[in-house]
Amino acid sequence: MRADRLVATLLLMQARGRVTAAEVATELEVSVATARRDLEALSAAGIPVYPQAGRGGGWSLIGGARTDLSGLTAGETRALFLLAGPAAQAAPELKSALRKLVRALPHTFREDAAAAADAVVVDPARWGRPDPEPPAALSLLQQAVVDRRRARIEYVRSGERTVRTVSPWGLVEKETVWYLIAGTDRGRRTFRLDRIGEVTVLDETADRPVDFDLQAEWSQIVTRMEERRAAVAATVLVSAALAPILADQQGRNCTLLGPADDGRIRAEISADTAKMVARQLAGWGADVEVVGPPEVRAELVALGTELVRGNS
């Protein structure tokens, strides 16, 4: 995996001070051309490495620096490995890279870093259900993002199949669903990976805005999606004991408004349609009183009638 190679290349430079592409190629068992591309990628990413031509030349860390890997504070080290550790459980390449990072840290930090990497386990499966399989397109699109390569994807939505050429900018996983954020000839678009069929990574450089921030872009996408989904809001009353549970279950779709005159908590539940609001509340039965609007109350009545008819 290229990320693993880049870390190994950087650590090799730390150890030796100066390396040639041929030396990197020999150590990592890759071609000289691949080693040279990796060195250029480190430089392009802002790592302080530079080439020196001529006899005795090669690639060096500017000023003999040992890079930020050995300049981390104890708190930064713990934070880094707490974040990276859970992902490494499912990715052997990342686990290998973390081991190399540990060796690059100051000796006094190594024990804490190793403990932090093993402190958290992420289990995405619900009880009684198998672990979700990652989308087939994920690995190819990850590589396209890292290598800044355009990709041709087959996309199926509402039964319609299209083939599109995109510039992959970033990938996001939200509640086990993966999304691709990409540039297209119509601007920025978001694609669900479980709707992507065949993927072909092209030998074309992907254009990506210089100021692109994946986290900020995703936050904007989520905000716009939630605004569309909150087209209908129902006002409900729920006991103070159950209000936190309702809020946790509904997430962004729930806003606790404060206590009502009778001591219960007034809340607002939102969705894109009255029927969807009703479906979200139906399982709560008499524990939740729906004050309004009338269309949500009507949908609850209709839903109850359908359930009784279906069981008769």
Side-chain angles (χ1 to χ4, degrees), residues 29-207:
E29 298 181 351
V30 297
S31 70
V32 174
T34 296
R36 186 176 296 110
R37 282 197 299 270
D38 287 348
L39 288 162
E40 292 170 349
L42 287 172
S43 180
I47 305 298
V49 302
Y50 72 100
Q52 183 174 347
R55 187 183 181 88
W59 289 77
S60 304
L61 290 165
I62 292 177
R66 288 183 58 80
T67 81
D68 290 340
L69 289 178
S70 59
L72 292 171
T73 66
E76 289 169 339
T77 300
R78 284 193 297 271
L80 172 64
F81 281 81
L82 277 170
L83 288 171
Q89 298 158 16
E93 297 91 348
L94 181 54
K95 186 176 291 185
S96 173
L98 286 180
R99 286 197 296 267
K100 293 169 185 174
L101 284 173
V102 168
R103 291 197 295 270
L105 291 169
H107 181 74
T108 54
F109 290 177
R110 292 179 189 174
E111 185 173 344
D112 278 353
D118 293 331
V120 178
V121 169
V122 175
D123 183 357
R126 298 181 181 180
W127 291 111
R129 298 186 184 181
D131 293 339
E133 290 292 333
L138 180 59
S139 59
L140 280 174
L141 289 172
Q142 282 178 327
Q143 198 62 47
V145 171
V146 172
D147 291 344
R148 300 288 177 87
R149 289 288 182 265
R150 284 166 62 80
R152 185 180 299 111
I153 63 173
E154 177 187 79
Y155 198 65
V156 180
R157 184 176 182 180
S158 301
E160 181 183 356
R161 175 186 174 276
T162 59
V163 177
R164 316 184 191 193
T165 300
V166 303
S167 293
W169 292 349
L171 292 156
V172 176
E173 182 187 19
K174 182 175 176 61
E175 297 179 349
T176 73
V177 178
W178 283 89
Y179 298 87
L180 168 69
I181 300 177
T184 73
D185 54 1
R186 297 184 180 181
R188 197 268 301 147
R189 291 291 185 270
T190 305
F191 304 94
R192 281 182 55 143
L193 263 65
D194 56 6
R195 296 174 181 166
I196 295 178
E198 185 175 347
V199 175
T200 303
V201 179
L202 306 176
D203 191 20
E204 302 174 10
T205 301
D207 295 324

